[in-house]
Amino acid sequence: SINSNDFDTALFYEQVKFFAGLIKHNKLVIRKTCRPNHAKLYLFKLKAKEVKEAIFITGSSNLTRAGLETQEEFNVEISDYGTKDAEKYFDQFWDEPALV
């Protein structure tokens, strides 16, 4: 996909470097679940100064170009309840050893 006109831009390469840096410095960790799971759950822990401790977003968006730009998607940001349950659900899959 990098060898296409859509991605062969200075902005794309800047973004790749940014995310590669996050991965290199353990600020972004990506894992694959062992069991099939189509859920989309994005957890955000906020800084101590923020109004809320954590929020999560759930919905239909994939982190793909189509999912972010062209497909009709619906997502909900929730911060007033359920964050502990969402984190527990997420951790069940996160803590499972990956099959390599």
Side-chain angles (χ1 to χ4, degrees), residues 5-56:
N5 290 337
D6 290 337
F7 291 106
D8 195 17
T9 66
L11 177 61
F12 175 79
Y13 291 105
E14 287 174 33
Q15 291 171 338
V16 168
K17 286 180 187 177
F18 173 77
F19 283 104
L22 291 177
I23 293 167
K24 181 179 179 180
H25 298 295
N26 292 320
K27 293 184 177 193
L28 175 64
V29 180
I30 301 169
R31 292 187 184 176
K32 165 84 175 82
T33 60
C34 293
R35 294 179 282 151
N37 186 331
H38 195 63
K40 282 84 170 181
L41 177 62
Y42 307 102
L43 300 168
F44 301 89
K45 300 223 176 166
L46 305 176
K47 295 178 182 177
K49 296 183 257 180
E50 301 293 332
V51 176
K52 308 263 182 180
E53 181 181 318
I55 64 170
F56 69 98

Side-chain angles (χ1 to χ4, degrees), residues 1-2 8 11 15 17-18 24 28-29 37 54 62-63 71-72 74-75 77 79-81 83 85-86 91:
S1 66
I2 292 175
D8 195 17
L11 177 61
Q15 291 171 338
K17 286 180 187 177
F18 173 77
K24 181 179 179 180
L28 175 64
V29 180
N37 186 331
N62 292 310
L63 292 178
Q71 293 179 171
E72 291 294 325
F74 187 81
N75 300 287
E77 179 233 308
S79 60
D80 53 350
Y81 66 93
T83 53
D85 291 332
D91 287 344

Side-chain angles (χ1 to χ4, degrees), residues 63-76:
L63 292 178
T64 62
R65 182 173 184 185
L68 296 171
E69 292 182 357
T70 60
Q71 293 179 171
E72 291 294 325
E73 304 284 358
F74 187 81
N75 300 287
V76 183

